[in-house]
Amino acid sequence: MTSTAGLVEPGDIELGAVLSALADPNRRRVVRDLVNGADDNERSCTSFGLDLSKSARSHHFKVLREAGLVRQVDRGNRSGVTLRRDDVERRFPGLLALIGNESDD
């Protein structure tokens, strides 16, 4: 059984929440990895190589989800995450390209 965790409607994606979510380098890295990956390619939340505790990782994905940047699906004992590319691009054209072109520092 799959369930989609709290999805923000496309028109409700707010710039302040998006910028706040992207202010953290770990969350920006997740979004950049998703931007540069294949469209709609679901990834496991543990596949991003973040050197964080499970609770910290969960917090970061919650912030991204609540900002409307990602869609997270619980699949039993793991969670899959996808970028809400079309929704974000419609709301903030060009933002994902900027993040995708940012280098790892």
Side-chain angles (χ1 to χ4, degrees):
M1 184 168 127
T2 63
S3 65
T4 303
L7 188 62
V8 176
E9 293 298 319
D12 293 337
I13 300 174
E14 296 180 1
L15 181 60
V18 168
L19 294 178
S20 180
L22 294 173
D24 183 274
N26 288 306
R27 293 190 292 260
R28 216 168 37 254
R29 177 179 172 188
V30 167
V31 173
R32 184 174 48 250
D33 286 356
L34 290 169
V35 166
N36 292 329
D39 286 350
D40 300 325
N41 186 22
E42 182 178 297
R43 288 188 51 186
S44 165
C45 292
T46 59
S47 71
F48 292 93
L50 301 175
D51 189 23
L52 302 169
S53 68
K54 182 178 179 181
S55 62
R57 204 170 38 245
S58 293
H59 168 74
H60 286 303
F61 282 101
K62 177 183 177 189
V63 171
L64 290 170
R65 187 177 66 248
E66 288 179 349
L69 291 166
V70 300
R71 177 176 292 110
Q72 191 170 334
V73 179
D74 296 323
R75 299 188 185 283
N77 64 350
R78 76 169 195 89
S79 292
V81 65
T82 56
L83 181 64
R84 293 181 60 191
R85 189 181 308 266
D86 292 340
D87 294 337
V88 174
E89 198 53 43
R90 248 189 315 265
R91 188 82 168 101
F92 306 110
L95 177 64
L96 295 178
L98 290 172
I99 295 167
N101 290 325
E102 183 182 47
S103 63
D104 274 333
D105 290 337

